[in-house]
């Protein structure tokens, strides 16, 4: 008997996947030449499976800022934000984020995962209630497990179900913290934030919006789903990440709460981990400026997203409900999804494979994503490859395109 | 007071719509281990019961549930608390 025996069912399922000739969870990039071009197993591939929405990973100014900070401040801080891990860059990035979101304060965390873990576990205490969209990211669920609050799920993107569940709590003491995401990571669908905000106001609840996939993507200034929906004043806490549109790693929360900074002394995932290296902080700071300086990137992203979505939709694939940077194809079963993913990689297109139970409706998904810097020819090449494989595997009717 | 027997009947009626016909169900049936529901199917099935009885189960409540009898007991406690 081994302590790992409990994972035997998972080991079995993983073994089946590997026997089918592919391992989507162990892809190694030999080299990466641009936000959209790489080499895997010695063969060139186009990357249609990242979160590099604005293509900033290779922005020369973003790289130069990181290099300069690496040379000036060294490789890492070796300490927590509340000890020796706060440099001018960390404080400057927090000021920059607060200014970008037109809010009073911001806190920076070492990952986006930790930002949700920290905020949700710390804000919702004993006697409080957390109301989570059922399709929430794992970091939100894990934050709720770390919290001492009671946790209630409501149906995905269903403000009426949220309202019913808030009504059932009438008369109970404690705060109600509602948590939703601007764009959901698996299907790329958007939260109905206008309606969610209305329910929140009527119930006197508090609202946290995770803009991980919508920062730099939605809203006139790229502030995310809350800006696009015109409900920023209803959102007490905006959480986000640096590892998608900003091309780095890290997370943040920004707020107008006057005593927000007290959280620095009670958020355990903020206090008990080392801070981000100065080079990364400098790159993200420059990335945030590039995002504001170049609204064209956002426009190009949406144009490309529409091209990919239209191409796959016209071919006859079942996609998520909203065109956007995440375009997911729903497939009938794991065997077809795995064969599809493998054939696509052989054809030089890398996408993400998402398998149940990580998917919203028990169906596997081929999750593709597009960036501002894909060319029309690259998108057309991906659509053609997906269509050809879709026909070969019987997912599409021949001639549907 | 809503009694557990009545709640069990509702639970079984809902389960019959999502498990293969002819599957044996008793109050001691384990919802995941014996009836084969995955986590998503459990959530949808529980949400339908929540609507029917106008209560919300917390994730802590759900974590304590293994059998149909456990679920009926948890629902009965919530329903009767609302009725008090």
């Amino acid at each position: 008997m081994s302590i790992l025996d409990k994972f035997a069912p998972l080991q079995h399922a993983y073994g089946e996947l590997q026997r089918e000739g592919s391992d989507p969870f162990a892809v190694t990039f030999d080299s990466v030449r641009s936000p959209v071009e790489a080499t895997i197993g010695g063969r060139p591939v186009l990357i249609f499976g990242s979160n590099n929405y604005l293509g900033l990973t290779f922005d020369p100014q973003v790289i130069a800022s990181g290099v300069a900070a690496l040379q000036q401040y060294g490789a890492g801080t070796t300490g927590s934000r509340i000890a020796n891990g706060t440099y001018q860059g960390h404080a400057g990035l927090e000021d920059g984020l607060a200014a970008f979101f037109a809010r009073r304060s911001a806190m920076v965390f070492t990952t986006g995962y930790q930002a949700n873990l920290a905020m949700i576990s710390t804000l919702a205490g004993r006697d409080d209630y957390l109301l989570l969209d059922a399709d929430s990211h794992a970091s939100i669920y894990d934050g709720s497990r770390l919290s001492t609050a009671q946790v209630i799920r409501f149906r995905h993107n269903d403000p009426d179900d949220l309202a019913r569940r808030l009504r059932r709590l009438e008369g109970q003491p404690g705060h109600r913290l509602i948590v939703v995401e601007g764009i959901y990571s698996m299907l790329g669908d958007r939260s109905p934030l206008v309606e969610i905000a209305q329910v929140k106001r009527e119930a006197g609840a508090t609202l946290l919006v995770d803009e991980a996939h919508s920062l730099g993507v939605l809203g006139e200034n790229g502030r995310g789903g809350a800006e696009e929906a015109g409900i920023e004043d209803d959102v007490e806490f905006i959480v986000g990440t640096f590892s998608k549109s900003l091309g780095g790693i890290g997370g943040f929360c920004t707020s107008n709460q006057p005593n927000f900074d007290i959280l620095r002394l009670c958020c355990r995932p903020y206090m008990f981990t080392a801070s981000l290296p100065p080079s990364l902080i400098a790159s993200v700071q420059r990335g945030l400026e590039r995002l504001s300086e170049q609204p064209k990137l956002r426009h190009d992203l949406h144009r490309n997203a529409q091209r990919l979505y239209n191409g796959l939709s016209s071919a006859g694939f079942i996609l998520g409900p909203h065109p956007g940077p995440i375009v997911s194809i729903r497939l009938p079963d794991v065997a077809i999804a795995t064969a599809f993913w493998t054939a696509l990689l052989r054809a030089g297109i890398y996408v993400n494979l998402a398998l149940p139970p990580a998917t919203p409706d028990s169906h596997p998904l081929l999750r593709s994503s597009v960036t501002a810097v894909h060319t029309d020819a690259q998108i057309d090449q991906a659509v053609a490859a997906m269509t050809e494989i879709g026909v070969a595997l019987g997912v599409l009717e021949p001639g549907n395109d | 007071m809503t009694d557990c027997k009545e709640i069990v009947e509702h639970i079984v009626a809902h389960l019959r719509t999502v498990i293969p016909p002819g599957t044996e169900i008793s109050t001691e049936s384990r919802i995941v281990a014996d009836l084969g529901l995955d986590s998503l199917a459990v959530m949808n099935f529980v949400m339908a019961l929540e609507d029917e009885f106008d209560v919300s189960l917390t994730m802590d409540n759900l974590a304590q549930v293994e059998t149909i009898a456990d679920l009926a007991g948890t629902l009965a406690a919530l329903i009767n608390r609302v009725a008090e």
Side-chain angles (χ1 to χ4, degrees):
Chain A
M1 286 288 284
S2 151
I3 198 166
L4 298 179
D5 284 352
K6 60 174 96 49
F7 302 112
L10 182 61
Q11 184 77 57
H12 176 75
Y14 190 32
E16 291 286 303
L17 205 60
Q18 289 168 315
R19 263 189 292 283
E20 285 171 32
S22 64
D23 187 347
F25 306 115
V27 168
T28 303
F29 289 89
D30 309 327
S31 67
V32 178
R33 293 190 302 284
S34 79
V36 298
E37 295 161 299
T39 307
I40 297 175
R43 288 206 298 247
V45 293
L46 289 175
I47 305 174
F48 274 88
S50 74
N51 304 297
N52 197 0
Y53 302 131
L54 303 182
L56 288 179
T57 50
F58 278 81
D59 180 286
Q61 294 184 28
V62 167
I63 292 172
S65 297
V67 168
L70 182 64
Q71 288 174 330
Q72 184 174 354
Y73 296 101
T77 68
T78 76
S80 152
R81 292 294 308 276
I82 58 165
N84 62 305
T86 297
Y87 293 10
Q88 281 185 348
H90 298 82
L93 179 56
E94 289 176 340
D95 291 345
L97 285 162
F100 176 75
F101 282 96
R103 285 176 186 245
R104 186 191 294 251
S105 311
M107 280 168 76
V108 164
F109 300 89
T110 303
T111 67
Y113 174 88
Q114 281 167 297
N116 271 333
L117 205 65
M119 293 310 300
I120 292 166
S121 66
T122 311
L123 288 172
R126 199 175 298 282
D127 299 330
D128 294 334
Y129 287 89
L130 270 167
L131 292 113
L132 311 183
D133 184 288
D135 282 6
S136 288
H137 187 260
S139 57
I140 294 171
Y141 276 110
D142 291 356
S144 77
R145 289 178 70 172
L146 197 59
S147 136
T148 49
Q150 294 295 313
V151 185
I152 293 171
R153 289 181 290 194
F154 61 93
R155 287 186 173 88
H156 176 54
N157 277 354
D158 188 340
D160 292 337
D161 193 42
L162 172 62
R164 272 196 299 277
R165 289 169 190 277
L166 284 162
R167 178 182 51 72
R168 289 172 193 155
L169 294 176
E170 281 174 8
Q172 303 288 326
H175 294 278
R176 288 89 165 105
L177 177 63
I178 301 165
V179 182
V180 296
E181 300 177 37
I183 291 180
Y184 286 86
S185 62
M186 284 291 115
L187 285 175
D189 50 338
R190 301 178 189 185
S191 177
L193 283 170
V194 171
E195 293 80 4
I196 295 279
Q198 186 180 344
V199 170
K200 172 257 176 180
R201 279 195 298 276
E202 288 169 2
T206 303
L207 180 57
L208 182 153
V209 178
D210 179 358
E211 303 276 20
H213 290 273
S214 34
L215 168 66
V217 172
L218 298 180
E220 191 181 344
N221 298 291
R223 294 203 291 256
E227 184 186 26
E228 178 146 299
I231 55 104
E232 287 179 285
D233 288 346
D234 288 300
V235 184
E236 282 85 355
F237 300 97
I238 290 200
V239 170
T241 175
F242 306 143
S243 60
K244 301 184 181 3
S245 57
L246 293 176
I249 186 171
F252 69 91
C253 177
T254 180
S255 175
N256 268 330
Q257 301 282 306
N259 46 357
F260 180 74
D261 282 333
I262 193 62
L263 295 174
R264 294 182 196 275
L265 300 184
C266 48
C267 257
R268 296 171 66 85
Y270 174 84
M271 299 161 69
F272 297 106
T273 191
S275 65
L276 284 165
S279 54
L280 193 287
I281 290 282
S283 285
V284 169
Q285 176 86 58
R286 194 73 195 101
L288 188 63
E289 291 159 7
R290 300 295 282 158
L291 186 161
S292 293
E293 291 163 3
Q294 302 182 92
K296 181 178 183 299
L297 288 177
R298 196 156 56 255
H299 302 146
D300 289 348
L301 170 65
H302 285 288
R303 197 181 61 87
N304 287 347
Q306 197 72 52
R307 191 177 186 93
L308 181 62
Y309 190 93
N310 289 349
L312 295 175
S313 178
S314 301
F317 287 112
I318 301 171
L319 307 176
H322 304 130
I326 300 166
V327 182
S328 289
I329 297 176
R330 198 177 84 160
L331 291 170
D333 58 54
V334 172
I336 286 181
T338 309
F340 204 134
W341 180 87
T342 306
L344 207 46
L345 191 58
R346 286 193 187 121
I349 308 288
Y350 171 78
V351 300
N352 306 124
L353 178 63
L355 300 179
T359 56
D361 68 351
S362 299
H363 285 92
L365 295 173
L366 271 190
R367 177 192 181 276
S368 54
S369 59
V370 76
T371 75
V373 296
H374 279 107
T375 64
D376 286 354
Q378 289 168 335
I379 294 169
D380 295 347
Q381 185 183 336
V383 170
M386 291 183 196
T387 304
E388 189 180 330
I389 295 164
V391 171
L393 291 174
V395 176
L396 296 176
E397 297 289 328
N400 202 6
D401 56 330
Chain B
M1 290 284 283
T2 305
D3 65 29
C4 277
K5 184 163 175 290
E6 188 186 333
I7 296 171
V8 166
E9 286 169 10
H10 283 272
I11 293 173
V12 171
H14 275 284
L15 276 173
R16 289 275 177 224
T17 65
V18 290
I19 61 172
T23 307
E24 272 193 36
I25 304 180
S26 77
T27 53
E28 293 313 311
S29 298
R30 293 171 299 172
I31 295 166
V32 174
D34 295 338
L35 303 179
L37 267 65
D38 64 24
S39 55
L40 190 74
V42 169
M43 190 178 77
N44 289 335
F45 145 73
V46 168
M47 281 184 162
L49 288 167
E50 289 175 308
D51 280 350
E52 187 169 345
F53 293 111
D54 199 21
V55 294
S56 295
L57 270 73
T58 66
M59 288 183 69
D60 273 355
N61 290 147
L62 264 182
Q64 306 296 324
V65 168
E66 188 178 6
T67 66
I68 289 175
D70 295 338
L71 181 57
T74 303
L75 282 167
L78 288 168
I79 294 162
N80 292 324
R81 194 173 76 186
V82 171
E84 274 172 9

